[in-house]
Structures are given as structure tokens and as C-alpha cells.
Amino acid sequence: MSVALDQTSKVSSRRAQSVLTSPLALLAAAVVIVFLLLIVPLRLPVGPMYWDVFIYYDAANRIFDGQVPINDFFVPVGPLGYYLFAGWVALFPNGHPVLLAHWSLLAITAPAMAAIVWHVDQRSRFTAFALLIPFLIFALLPFNTREMYTYPGSDGFGIYNRQACQMLYVLVAAFTFVRDRRLLVGLIAICMGSLFFLKITGFLAAGMICAYALIAGRVTLRDALIVAVVFMAIIAGMEVSSGMVDRYVDDILMLISLNSGSLLPRILQASSLSFGIVGSAGTLVLVLLWSDWRRLGMQPVEKSSVLTCDSLWLAVVLTAGILYETQNTGSQAFIFLWPVLLAILLKTSRIANKPALVLIISALVAAAALPPAIRIIERTARTYLGAIKNVAMDQRNLKTLGVLNMRPDVEARTDHMMRFYPEHGKLYEELADINELPTPLLYSDFDFQIGYLRGVDTAIDSIREIETKADIRFDTIMSLNFVNPFPWLMERSAPLHVAIGADPGRAVPPPGPQEEQAVADTDLVLLPTCPPTANNKILYTLYEPALTKHRRIKLDACYDAFIHPKFDTVLGPDIIPTN
């Protein structure tokens, strides 16, 4: 009896140890760490184009107000990312903006990867970990694979680009390693539905991969039809419930018209920016094609055998990646090559009698797979270790948007520039007149990002001073700028129909009657002047016809304000803030 109990205890112990050392345990631990880090207000270093993350707060604030993306305001990408972010902000109000935005997609990718690694773990624990660990590097570390500035800092931009890359990683991993029909169909439907509402160019890249998977027999026609039916059911449900899909397609066509241009230069740019990865993966395709040609040439083969070759599968995924990157600035470029590269690496044991070929394939796999992970790990270490001597940003009204630190020299330069801008406004106005920035890297400059936040902080004080003196409240606030954090920070509303992420020429359609009426009805419209820029001038020109009845005042040194005429009798003719 004691022997039987002892054996049972050993079996239970081995099972418990197996569970604790499984890929699922690692994934669960990572998710728990994410939750813990979002509970406390971490102070992160400022980064280039940090203000991109403010777009998510603008969207979340509108969603909390009852506005529906696409229907009620123009969005530069799909609505899914904004809904996910709004949900995570509600759960973790103290979470840092960069971390919240980057990690919000885990609500979809973590369960999907859990299903994949659970399925793969039943055949090979090594392969399951080999899929999971790179995914966690990309999903947990909030950095792009390419630096946009010389100083290390948090990447608050390109978030939806790298989230689409992570969804593509899940999709390619499913096609490459999932053998269960029902699981594969479910994963494809989840990935395609998510990518459609996340970023349309990611959806198109995934469509290319799915089309080849069907042709090559990685998925049957029946399963493809099931996926299509499920996807169309999702689309139909969204259209019937909100009318969003039809407008979404219209917005996509509008964005295409605003961003029209030759595709070839964009392909060359995307390839050159990641030349090491593209060159290595492309060379690997050629080596594998030569190897497959020699192997298949020695025996009669069917067309399906040729199409299932790893060389062609890698070529398709690589091409999809290049096309996707033609539309991106910040991204985690080509991370979804890894599942295919892993499958190729695992098969090299079959040609162990050709050590030279094994060495070449292994070297090319490493050259294509390692750079994204190494760059992100390196950037993470450089950013956070380098922040030890950083100084905290002082702020009064910025909530978590201002929980930042910076190098002392950035703080000193910001102090200088915030005094310089108002004194030399004419110079910057003349630059804006010729459609030039003071420097092409203005929006990447850390001092600009900190200066912008300081300007917002002071403007909120100025607005509240007016409201207190006149006993009024500006319920709707708009900013003639790329971002509009004021409604979120002041717990107000943003006007309907106005674009978020207002980049004129790329993501701001010409305003129609709806937009003009919404702007005309807005209580307070703000124009930043530290410094005046061409984009802000263009936005003012676009909306100027709707502001003819608003009263323009100098709010403070860095902001002009347009006040709705309904406040004229309360404010009087000489209302000017004291600061």
C-alpha cells in the first residue's frame, strides 16, 4: 500500500513539475507581471514622438462619452485598438500610457498563443518554448525594432503597427505548427477578424498569407470557407449593430486617396530599412529553392509537393512583410518570419549528412531571426538602465501622461526653448509659411515632447482660471494640433466628427458640413504657438470657416484660444488670464 502511495506521489509530483515548467506557466507568469506593473504608476523615460500615445486617450475619452469610432469621429486606423485600450484604462487607470497601449492587445494574443503553445507542447516542449519566448519579447517590451532618435527613450509611436505584427506572428505560427483542424480554423478567424479592425494593411498582408496557405494545402477549402463564413458573420454583425463597417471601408478608401503614391519606392524603402533581415531571408529562400529543386528533381512529384516547400512559404511570408512595412514608420518589422524560420531550422536534421548546407541554412536563419529580438532587448536595456540618472518631470494637470523622466540636459534645453519660442514666434511663423519645420526631427526631439506637455499643463491652469473668474465651464474642447489631450485631462468632451491623430495630408479628410458644424459648436478651440508649425497652420486653415464667430484671445504664452460666442456676455470684452 505504501509503495503504491509513494508511486502515486511521485507521479503527481512529476505532473506538477511538468505544469510549473510548461510554456503555459511562463505565459501565465508574464501576464501576471503585466497586471502588477500596470497597477502602480511607473515613471518611464520620455521618447521620440511620445505624444502619439495621446491619441489613444483621446479615443478612450470619446468612447467613454458614448462616441463610436468611425461613426462619430475619424480614426487613422481600425477601431479595435482603441476599444481594447479603453477597456485596459478602465481596469488600470494608473498604468503608464506606453505600457497600456502596447500591452492592451494581449487580451487577444495571449489566449491565442496559449492555445498554440498548449497544442505544440503535446508534441515538443522545445518547439513550444521556441515559439513562445520570442513572442513574449515582442509582446512585452514596448519598443520598435528601429530607432528614430539618438537618445534612448520610450516608443509611444508605431503601436498599432507593432500590434499588427504580433497578430501576424500568431497567424503564421498557427499555419506553421497547428495540426488540429478546429483549432486552426478558430485561430485564423480570430486573427483575420482582429487584423481587419486593427489595421487594414496588416489584414491585407494576412490575406496574402492565407491565400497561399489555401493554394499550398496548409488549410483545406472547406476550412477556408468556414473561416470566411465566420469572418463575414462578424462583419455583418458589426454592420447591423452599428453601421460601422460601411463607414470604415469609406474611411479606408479616403486614407488611400490621401496617401496615394508609387508603390515601388515604398517597397525599396521598406526593404532597405530592414536590409539585413530581407537580404538574409531572401538568400535563404534561394538556398532552399536550390535544395528543394535538387531533392524534388530526383523523383516524380505532384504540384502540391512543390507548393508546400518551405522555400515558397518563406518567400510568401517575407513578401507579405515587405508590403506591410511600406506603410509603417515605427514597427516590429518581420518578427512573424520566426515561426517559418523555426520550422526550417528544425528540419535541418534531415540533411545532417550535408554539414555545409546545414551551416549555411543555420547561419541565414540566425541572420534573419536574431536582429529584431536583439534590437528590442538592446533598446530596452539602454532605455531603462540609462534612465537611472534621469530627472522627473514636474506637472500638475497631466495625470499619467506626465509620469515621465528625462536627461538633465533635456530638461535644461526645454527650459531654454520654452522661453525662446514666445520671444521669437515670428521666426517660426515664417518657417510655417514655407511649410518647413525648424528641424525635420522636431517631433522626435525630447525637449519638444516635454515642452508640449508643459504647455498643456499651463494651458489647463489658464482655462480653469477663466472658468473660475467667469463661473463657466467649457464642456467641449478641441485642439488645432496633432493630438488633443485636453478633454481627457480635464474630464470634458471632444467635438463629434473631428479626426483624432490629426496629421493633415495623411489622416485628416477635408471637413464637410458635419465637421464644420461640430467645430462651430465647440466651446473652446485651442491653437498651440510654442512653436507655430506648418501642420497646425493647415489645421487652422481647414477649420477657420467654422471659427469665424468664435472670439480669439491670447490664452497664455504658448496658446491662443477661440471661445464660443455664447460666452461673450459672461466673459466681457477684456478677459485675459493673468499668467
Side-chain angles (χ1 to χ4, degrees):
M1 183 71 175
S2 62
V3 174
L5 288 174
D6 187 54
Q7 289 178 342
T8 302
S9 176
K10 289 182 179 178
V11 170
S12 299
S13 177
R14 285 196 295 268
R15 286 178 179 173
Q17 185 178 7
S18 178
V19 170
L20 291 174
T21 58
S22 69
L24 286 180
L26 176 60
L27 179 58
V31 172
V32 169
I33 291 172
V34 163
F35 291 164
L36 292 175
L37 291 177
L38 290 176
I39 292 174
V40 295
L42 295 176
R43 189 178 295 275
L44 298 186
V46 67
M49 292 179 275
Y50 170 72
W51 66 350
D52 273 35
V53 80
F54 302 173
I55 300 171
Y56 284 88
Y57 283 88
D58 190 1
N61 189 68
R62 290 168 179 267
I63 289 170
F64 294 148
D65 267 357
Q67 295 188 32
V68 178
I70 300 170
N71 286 357
D72 294 326
F73 59 96
F74 187 87
V75 292
V77 290
L80 177 61
Y82 303 121
Y83 274 114
L84 290 173
F85 180 81
W88 281 60
V89 166
L91 291 172
F92 304 104
N94 292 324
H96 194 277
V98 171
L99 300 181
L100 272 173
H102 183 80
W103 288 344
S104 60
L105 191 69
L106 284 170
I108 298 174
T109 55
M113 281 304 297
I116 291 173
V117 297
W118 171 81
H119 175 75
V120 174
D121 188 38
Q122 296 178 31
R123 302 195 308 271
S124 170
R125 177 151 293 189
F126 171 82
T127 304
F129 273 116
L131 283 173
L132 178 62
I133 292 174
F135 169 79
L136 290 178
I137 291 173
F138 304 130
L140 296 183
L141 302 181
F143 290 91
N144 301 314
T145 51
R146 190 168 69 250
E147 290 187 84
M148 293 294 293
Y149 202 66
T150 53
Y151 291 169
S154 306
D155 279 347
F157 70 101
I159 292 169
Y160 42 75
N161 294 332
R162 58 193 192 230
Q163 287 182 334
C165 287
Q166 292 162 24
M167 287 302 314
L168 287 166
Y169 184 104
V170 174
L171 179 67
V172 174
F175 273 129
T176 308
F177 287 101
V178 172
R179 301 289 177 263
D180 183 273
R181 239 188 88 248
R182 289 173 295 180
L183 178 58
L184 180 60
V185 167
L187 288 168
I188 297 171
I190 290 170
C191 290
M192 295 303 289
S194 299
L195 283 166
F196 182 79
F197 289 107
L198 188 65
K199 191 177 184 191
I200 196 64
T201 51
F203 173 78
L204 295 176
M208 177 186 295
I209 294 169
C210 289
Y212 186 79
L214 175 60
I215 295 171
R218 289 179 180 263
V219 63
T220 66
L221 178 60
R222 178 189 174 190
D223 291 342
L225 290 174
I226 293 173
V227 171
V229 169
V230 172
F231 176 75
M232 293 307 297
I234 295 172
I235 298 296
M238 294 291 292
E239 177 63 19
V240 170
S241 62
S242 66
M244 179 189 293
V245 178
D246 183 57
R247 291 172 179 250
Y248 183 38
V249 173
D250 290 340
D251 286 354
I252 290 169
L253 296 175
M254 174 68 72
L255 286 170
I256 291 173
S257 67
L258 291 173
N259 293 274
S260 59
S262 176
L263 183 61
L264 180 59
R266 292 174 180 264
I267 291 175
L268 294 175
Q269 181 185 45
S271 301
S272 64
L273 289 172
S274 301
F275 180 75
I277 299 172
V278 173
S280 300
T283 303
L284 180 58
V285 168
L286 296 177
V287 171
L288 293 174
L289 278 172
W290 173 79
S291 176
D292 291 338
W293 174 77
R294 290 194 62 188
R295 176 175 56 84
L296 295 174
M298 296 178 182
Q299 55 188 353
V301 293
E302 297 179 358
K303 180 181 178 182
S304 58
S305 299
V306 176
L307 293 175
T308 55
C309 290
D310 291 324
S311 54
L312 296 181
W313 179 236
L314 177 60
V316 169
V317 176
L318 177 63
T319 303
I322 293 172
L323 292 176
Y324 175 66
E325 290 302 321
T326 59
Q327 302 299 316
N328 296 340
T329 302
S331 179
Q332 291 180 340
F334 300 102
I335 64 171
F336 46 87
L337 290 178
W338 171 241
V340 184
L341 295 172
L342 175 61
I344 291 169
L345 196 61
L346 293 173
K347 292 177 183 177
T348 55
S349 59
R350 300 179 187 177
I351 55 173
N353 59 333
K354 300 176 181 178
L357 186 58
V358 172
L359 181 61
I360 292 172
I361 291 174
S362 300
L364 290 171
V365 166
L370 290 178
I374 290 175
R375 286 173 191 164
I376 287 177
I377 293 172
E378 178 186 28
R379 296 198 62 208
T380 302
R382 186 168 174 239
T383 298
Y384 297 141
L385 293 178
I388 293 174
K389 295 183 178 181
N390 281 9
V391 294
M393 177 182 175
D394 294 327
Q395 54 102 2
R396 303 170 300 280
N397 306 302
L398 302 178
K399 299 182 179 178
T400 56
L401 296 186
V403 185
L404 298 169
N405 58 52
M406 73 206 85
R407 294 161 59 114
D409 54 329
V410 170
E411 182 183 45
R413 177 174 166 81
T414 304
D415 292 339
H416 297 156
M417 296 309 295
M418 292 304 288
R419 290 192 296 269
F420 189 87
Y421 286 140
E423 295 171 0
H424 301 271
K426 184 65 176 176
L427 167 66
Y428 294 100
E429 288 175 4
E430 290 174 356
L431 282 171
D433 289 339
I434 61 173
N435 200 32
E436 289 289 347
L437 290 171
T439 165
L441 293 178
L442 178 68
Y443 302 131
S444 294
D445 286 337
F446 290 5
D447 61 277
F448 175 85
Q449 295 295 325
I450 295 295
Y452 172 77
L453 283 168
R454 286 188 182 178
V456 169
D457 204 5
T458 302
I460 290 174
D461 285 336
S462 301
I463 294 167
R464 286 177 173 156
E465 181 180 343
I466 292 176
E467 290 180 325
T468 300
K469 284 183 175 181
D471 192 24
I472 59 173
R473 175 184 169 89
F474 299 115
D475 288 320
T476 53
I477 303 177
M478 175 183 173
S479 181
L480 295 170
N481 198 3
F482 175 59
V483 290
N484 181 23
F486 292 95
W488 167 260
L489 295 174
M490 300 187 70
E491 299 179 3
R492 311 296 170 89
S493 297
L496 287 165
H497 310 303
V498 176
I500 64 172
D503 186 353
R506 291 187 65 245
V508 182
Q514 269 190 330
E515 291 85 351
E516 290 188 355
Q517 187 59 52
V519 174
D521 292 338
T522 303
D523 291 347
L524 183 67
V525 180
L526 300 168
L527 177 64
T529 57
C530 287
T533 63
N535 281 359
N536 293 349
K537 181 179 179 181
I538 293 170
L539 288 173
Y540 173 62
T541 302
L542 285 174
Y543 296 114
E544 185 178 12
L547 296 172
T548 54
K549 295 183 180 180
H550 281 63
R551 177 185 174 191
R552 183 170 184 170
I553 67 167
K554 189 69 178 174
L555 184 67
D556 54 42
C558 288
Y559 269 93
D560 287 359
F562 298 83
I563 302 177
H564 194 280
K566 69 183 179 183
F567 297 106
D568 281 350
T569 55
V570 179
L571 294 176
D574 301 316
I575 182 69
I576 299 176
T578 58
N579 57 334

